[in-house]
Amino acid sequence: MTRIKLGMVGGGNDAFIGGVHRIASRIDDRYELVAGALSSTPEKAQASGQALGIARVYDDFKQMAIREARLKNGIEAVSIVTPNHMHYAAAREFLKRGIHVICDKPLTSTLADARKLAIAAERSNALFVLTHNYTGYPMVRQAREMVARGEIGKIRVVQVEYPQDWLTQQEDFKQAKWRTDPARSGAGGSTGDIGTHAHNLARFVTGLEVESLAADLDAFVPGRQVDDNGHIMLRFQGGAKGMLWCSQVAPGNENALRIRVFGEAGGLEWAQEDPNYLWHTPFGEPKRVITRNGSGAGDAATRISRVPPGHPEGYLEGFANIYSEAADAIVAHREGIEPAAEVMYPTIKDGLKGVEFIDACVRSSARNAAWVKV
Ligand SMILES: NC(=O)c1ccc[n+]([C@@H]2O[C@H](COP(=O)([O-])OP(=O)(O)OC[C@H]3O[C@@H](n4cnc5c(N)ncnc54)[C@H](O)[C@@H]3O)[C@@H](O)[C@H]2O)c1
């Protein structure tokens, strides 16, 4: 199979998530990175591209979009892994030239940009993939499948949390600096950076949308301009209730994303730091564990599992599953057919929902945690 020619915007020397995207794109050998505008200045962009040995290195993303669209063998897809405030401008350039976009979350730094990008994606012939990577974990797919099959009954309660501790104090390195600068991060701090993952995970597993919320956001670190902790009550369509906690000031927590869902007939529990196991409690019965690629795992999970049970899979493989499903969709698009029904990567719609969630949290908190519509 010919590999999809991929470009990258962001992900230069010393960047974090660009390297993860590069690994994820190669795990199933579906992509080849051939072009990049990897950094914010031409000098750094050139140095970063050369360090990776990329064939075509550009000074900036606009130049890259224009030239690649004109090349006979130009890129077919681009990964956008810049800080949040650059997602819109970069994605727009590629979408309008028919180049598929694989963009990291949150979709944009403002709601206005998110709405404009949703329109641009709708008008474009290209696909838009949002790397809400936690939806690519097999045991998360398992949970979603079990909820959809009614195995825990009608959902009543959703508890989801994503605590971290790395912003417990004022930090001076670049990933911390842009994330605490509202001009680059957006109006939400922890809500935008990790609350959106928790929100998306709850939506993905339950299939329910949040209708309204009440958010109590804080910036505990003196001088910080965006929230670093949020307690958010959720009301879902159909009457389910939820609580979402996101925090970057919770010492002892690294990436402790966890979801618990309780229905009329049972409960499910999954934790990102122990991701190969899903706990299921049919009401009145002992708690049981379903293992990735092992006992109890259904088709949705097994289809995207790689190694036998007991050998851990995690963050990189989950990311790779999104990339590989995007590859399936790109190939189907190329051939003018629909991708297989199981292909379920997050889309622009999920991105817009995420930015609407951030906006609602900020609006609610400004009104002393009043209930607001999302
Ligand atoms: N899905 C996840 O698990 C996950 C994890 C971390 C980060 N992210 C998201 O990924 C994005 C990047 O985060 P990060 O931690 O890697 O940030 P980072 O600061 O480590 O890297 C950002 C990169 O973008 C480059 N850049 C900035 N402006 C640019 C421009 N105009 N053109 C080209 N390159 C430019 C920087 O030079 C740097 O190389 C953010 O949107 C973040 O929310 C997602």
Side-chain angles (χ1 to χ4, degrees), residues 9-18 37-40 44 61 81-84 86-87 104-106 131 133-134 174-175 178-179 193 197 315 319:
V9 178
N13 293 341
D14 305 326
F16 167 50
I17 209 70
L38 302 180
S39 206
S40 53
K44 282 200 284 176
F61 60 76
V81 285
T82 63
N84 309 343
M86 296 308 299
H87 292 179
D104 219 311
K105 46 50 62 182
T131 49
N133 50 298
Y134 300 108
K174 74 172 175 176
Q175 283 82 6
W178 74 251
R179 278 178 174 80
D193 201 34
H197 275 311
Y315 191 67
F319 239 108

Side-chain angles (χ1 to χ4, degrees), residues 32-362:
E32 183 185 0
L33 184 64
V34 295
L38 302 180
S39 206
S40 53
T41 66
E43 301 74 38
K44 282 200 284 176
Q46 289 294 335
S48 300
Q50 272 146 29
L52 287 174
I54 293 176
R56 299 188 291 278
V57 183
Y58 294 95
D59 287 355
D60 67 72
F61 60 76
K62 186 159 185 183
Q63 186 192 66
M64 172 165 143
I66 293 170
R67 297 225 186 121
E68 289 293 323
R70 286 186 190 145
L71 286 179
K72 188 154 168 276
N73 274 320
I75 57 170
E76 203 173 350
V78 65
S79 302
I80 297 177
V81 285
T82 63
N84 309 343
H85 69 307
M86 296 308 299
H87 292 179
Y88 169 61
R92 190 188 52 187
E93 293 302 328
F94 293 91
L95 284 176
K96 81 179 176 201
R97 294 176 175 86
I99 293 170
H100 306 299
V101 170
I102 303 171
C103 181
D104 219 311
K105 46 50 62 182
L107 181 64
T108 56
S109 58
T110 69
L111 185 54
D113 280 358
R115 288 180 174 146
K116 284 188 279 181
L117 194 52
I119 293 168
E122 200 182 318
R123 288 188 182 147
S124 170
N125 183 34
L127 304 175
F128 193 98
V129 178
L130 191 78
T131 49
H132 263 311
N133 50 298
Y134 300 108
T135 66
Y137 283 64
M139 289 297 98
V140 169
R141 297 286 174 96
Q142 173 75 25
R144 177 186 162 100
E145 186 176 60
M146 290 174 71
V147 169
R149 279 204 302 250
E151 291 189 32
I152 61 166
K154 184 170 188 279
I155 292 173
R156 291 172 167 163
V157 174
V158 181
Q159 294 286 120
V160 64
E161 62 186 49
Y162 197 158
Q164 298 181 325
D165 66 4
W166 66 293
L167 295 176
T168 294
Q169 299 178 347
Q170 201 70 263
E171 296 291 351
D172 208 29
F173 55 94
K174 74 172 175 176
Q175 283 82 6
K177 275 192 352 208
W178 74 251
R179 278 178 174 80
T180 51
D181 171 7
R184 289 182 284 172
S185 162
S190 66
T191 42
D193 201 34
I194 52 175
T196 47
H197 275 311
H199 168 254
N200 190 68
L201 184 64
R203 292 177 55 241
F204 184 78
V205 168
T206 64
L208 300 175
E209 295 296 351
V210 175
E211 282 185 341
S212 56
L213 59 77
D216 193 8
L217 309 185
D218 279 283
F220 280 112
V221 172
R224 186 163 283 167
Q225 293 180 62
V226 292
D227 64 84
D228 51 26
N229 188 84
H231 289 105
I232 302 149
M233 289 202 288
L234 307 170
R235 289 178 182 159
F236 290 88
Q237 65 186 126
K241 299 293 170 78
M243 277 169 57
L244 186 156
W245 174 42
C246 53
S247 184
Q248 295 179 309
V249 294
N253 287 280
E254 291 170 338
N255 279 285
L257 175 62
R258 182 168 76 127
I259 184 164
R260 290 176 291 163
V261 183
F262 304 101
E264 290 172 352
L268 289 170
E269 181 172 344
W270 179 81
Q272 198 275 149
E273 292 184 349
D274 197 13
N276 290 269
Y277 305 101
L278 176 69
W279 292 93
H280 175 210
T281 312
F283 176 63
E285 292 180 31
K287 211 167 186 176
R288 51 178 81 153
V289 64
I290 299 169
T291 63
R292 184 197 48 74
N293 229 357
S295 53
D299 290 347
T302 305
R303 192 179 68 79
I304 56 165
S305 299
R306 294 183 168 74
V307 293
H311 294 306
E313 286 185 18
Y315 191 67
L316 296 173
E317 293 88 347
F319 239 108
N321 288 333
I322 305 293
Y323 261 87
S324 296
E325 293 194 328
D328 290 339
I330 290 169
V331 171
H333 183 274
R334 205 193 276 159
E335 292 168 358
I337 57 173
E338 285 294 314
E342 313 84 68
V343 170
M344 58 170 86
Y345 58 83
T347 67
I348 188 93
K349 179 189 159 204
D350 301 298
L352 184 55
K353 291 272 177 203
V355 182
E356 285 170 351
F357 163 78
I358 302 167
D359 175 73
C361 288
V362 172

